[in-house]
Amino acid sequence: MQHTWQPTTSIENLKKRGQILRAIRDFFEQRNILEVDTPSLSHAPVTDPHLVNFSTKWISPSQTGETSLYLQTSPEYAMKRLLAAGSGCIYQMGKAFRNEESGRYHNAEFTLLEWYRVGFDHWQLMDEVEALLKHIVVSPNAERRSYRSLFVEYLGIDPLMVSMQELKQCCCKLGFESIADTETHPDTLLQLLFCEHIETKVDPSVPLFVYDFPASQAALAKLNPNDNRVAQRFELYYQGVELANGFNELTDPKEQQTRFQQDNQLRAQMGLPEAMIDTRFIAALNAGLPQCAGVALGIDRLLMIALQAKHINEVIAFPTSNA
Amino acid sequence: MATFSTNEFKAGLKIMLDGEPCNILENEYVKPGKGQAFNRVKIRKLISGKVLEKTFRSGDSAEGADVLDTDLAYLYNDGEFWHFMNNDTFEQVAADEKAVGDSIKWLRENDVCTLTLWNGSPIAVTPPNFVELEITETDPGLKGDTAGTGGKPATLSTGAVVRVPLFVQTGEIIKVDTRSGEYVSRAQK
């Protein structure tokens, strides 16, 4: 009989989790990368329309009234402020919070490993992500494939040229007509085809880096200087799991401001409240973010792979529902 | 009928899909780190019995299906309909051949079956897990065989054919598992 006070992980997995966390810290220690721990609470929410912050109120004895604070969905803005201040290469392994996310691979509070390499581009960082993966689990050499080549191979469409009508036809052929009929945003259909078709077709036994995502899904990545239809963003998939997301980091403050504004336009279209733009982060970019590549990797998911767990609850002490 | 958002989807919830009532078997949350979340839902269509996977955008909703399971006693067949009665209220329900389906071969008068009603009309009939029926025809077995090796076919009073041990004879009442269609034992007298 399982009681709600008990952990959902086994004590055996808890011990292995501890060992793996130490092995990850060793990996960065060997490479002389500084461990940092930035705040979980931030004055600015995230602008990404597909992420939902937890929010709380800050009451300070030295101030009247209360201030809204948000639990960070990733430590990206704070870490980039450190990079702009001259920290050099840094990593952080800590909690991130995403409300409204729960499932086999999602817990609202989860452990995220994020690191930044000054002077690296995203290709060099992919190599380092692969080295870390091999430091923790036995895996074959990773494949590297462009987003476009996967769509061409598995669906026969070019995601950078395809019309909305062709996208809808492609979705209908695969049985997604109820979504295709009402969807107005091409990126949603591309994400649907990627998650529900391509991800289920690729060989789960080989780590796969997907790079050159469409510019419309660039997030905080630089655009590819040779083809501005795509961004220098990559994702790592292994054993059916999306494990990491990385960028050749956008350093241009004006471009960053524009992307935040585009996020807010999309939020308005989706009927979501406008998200206040993090002015301290923009100020740090104005002061100068060095050329760097950064990546965020889901530690609980890496543990699921390492410990062959079927559900995230098997590798975390207490899921949010029992926390 | 109420509508249900994907975050209310769970195993056992009955929703409408393509005009047919369905039972949700599994609901998996799928979300890329950057982008739209989806729900991958495994569904059983309650009329055709088909099991399929359907992807919803998270936040989308589906109409609830007015589906109710109720326990009713089987009364009789009038040639077209199979009649059932609620033993408490004496209210009667008539199910057609499509609703009765394969359960037809297990229906014995007064046995309590589960009827699945959609908008008050029966769409499925589930017999009790175990029924006791009389053997109307089977070959005489070998004398002295009690191990029941191999067995032999036996026709029951409802027309169902099951494999029975060699020692069981015509006229005897046997217990059958309706889920597997297998002989369990001779009925307790």
Side-chain angles (χ1 to χ4, degrees), chain A residues 4-266:
Chain A
T4 58
W5 69 262
Q6 290 173 311
T8 52
T9 188
S10 63
I11 297 302
E12 192 191 350
N13 276 0
L14 195 71
K15 287 177 181 168
K16 285 181 183 157
R17 183 181 176 107
Q19 287 161 5
I20 287 173
L21 296 188
R22 199 172 59 221
I24 291 168
R25 290 200 157 90
D26 286 345
F27 178 87
F28 289 103
E29 172 93 31
Q30 284 159 17
R31 287 161 191 250
N32 263 322
I33 302 174
L34 177 69
E35 179 169 9
V36 297
D37 52 343
T38 59
S40 293
L41 288 167
S42 164
H43 283 266
V46 68
T47 57
D48 185 328
H50 297 295
L51 294 179
V52 183
N53 279 111
F54 282 89
S55 64
T56 188
K57 298 287 182 194
W58 180 39
I59 299 161
S60 163
S62 59
Q63 275 178 319
T64 54
E66 44 184 40
T67 309
S68 286
L69 292 178
Y70 303 89
L71 284 169
Q72 45 97 5
T73 57
S74 95
E76 181 158 9
Y77 305 163
M79 290 181 80
K80 285 181 178 173
R81 282 164 67 185
L82 292 180
L83 289 158
S87 67
C89 300
I90 48 176
Y91 83 97
Q92 169 155 224
M93 190 154 55
K95 297 294 188 189
F97 305 84
R98 297 181 184 181
N99 210 347
E100 300 182 17
E101 297 191 7
S102 169
R104 191 174 158 199
Y105 295 110
H106 295 83
N107 189 52
E109 175 178 352
F110 61 102
T111 302
L112 194 63
L113 168 66
E114 186 150 327
W115 79 96
Y116 291 87
R117 290 295 242 147
V118 175
F120 272 35
D121 64 16
H122 55 302
W123 299 107
Q124 290 166 289
L125 190 58
M126 276 185 236
D127 292 343
E128 192 162 70
V129 172
E130 187 173 355
L132 175 71
L133 181 68
K134 287 179 170 168
H135 184 65
I136 304 300
V137 297
V138 177
S139 71
N141 288 337
E143 265 194 68
R144 284 160 177 72
R145 296 284 303 269
S146 74
Y147 188 84
R148 182 170 177 266
S149 76
L150 291 168
F151 272 82
V152 171
E153 180 178 338
Y154 291 103
L155 291 160
I157 60 172
D158 180 343
L160 308 177
M161 306 283 279
V162 69
S163 70
M164 189 62 177
Q165 197 193 347
E166 288 167 313
L167 258 182
K168 287 190 174 194
Q169 280 168 0
C170 183
C171 289
C172 288
K173 254 191 289 179
L174 294 168
F176 303 126
E177 60 285 340
S178 60
I179 295 177
D181 288 349
T182 54
E183 186 53 55
T184 55
H185 210 286
D187 281 315
T188 302
L189 295 184
L190 289 173
Q191 285 153 5
L192 172 68
L193 292 170
F194 197 91
C195 283
E196 290 294 87
H197 188 77
I198 295 173
E199 271 192 60
T200 63
K201 296 281 182 245
V202 297
D203 181 356
S205 68
V206 179
L208 172 66
F209 285 101
V210 181
Y211 60 88
D212 277 354
F213 277 71
S216 53
Q217 297 177 35
L220 283 78
K222 275 196 178 99
L223 295 187
N224 184 333
N226 301 317
D227 180 357
N228 63 14
R229 296 175 305 166
V230 296
Q232 293 178 321
R233 174 185 156 202
F234 69 87
E235 293 246 12
L236 170 62
Y237 298 88
Y238 185 38
Q239 301 203 1
V241 185
E242 180 199 340
L243 204 50
N245 175 73
F247 305 137
N248 190 4
E249 300 292 347
L250 182 63
T251 51
D252 178 349
K254 282 203 189 70
E255 171 68 15
Q256 184 65 70
Q257 181 83 26
T258 305
R259 296 224 189 139
F260 282 155
Q261 285 161 352
Q262 286 166 346
D263 277 351
N264 268 328
Q265 282 164 12
L266 196 56

Side-chain angles (χ1 to χ4, degrees), chain B residues 2-46:
Chain B
T3 58
F4 295 95
S5 165
T6 51
N7 56 26
E8 297 172 280
F9 282 12
K10 55 172 193 272
L13 182 73
K14 311 289 195 297
I15 59 166
M16 294 297 297
L17 193 69
D18 309 327
E20 188 172 334
C22 300
N23 183 23
I24 292 180
L25 302 175
E26 282 170 33
N27 174 26
E28 186 168 354
Y29 178 78
V30 180
K31 186 186 183 299
K34 307 279 172 201
Q36 173 72 42
F38 301 99
N39 286 66
R40 190 184 297 155
V41 186
K42 202 170 172 186
I43 278 170
R44 184 195 307 279
K45 293 194 161 188
L46 289 172

Side-chain angles (χ1 to χ4, degrees), chain B residues 168-186:
Chain B
V168 179
Q169 302 304 334
T170 301
E172 285 192 78
I173 295 176
I174 59 164
K175 185 174 173 183
V176 183
D177 187 329
T178 60
R179 294 161 296 185
S180 60
E182 284 171 7
Y183 167 89
V184 178
S185 65
R186 282 171 158 155

Side-chain angles (χ1 to χ4, degrees), chain B residues 127-146:
Chain B
N129 290 343
F130 299 101
V131 292
E132 293 184 353
L133 294 167
E134 185 186 339
I135 296 175
T136 54
E137 196 192 335
T138 188
D139 289 338
L142 295 168
K143 275 206 173 88
D145 181 286
T146 51

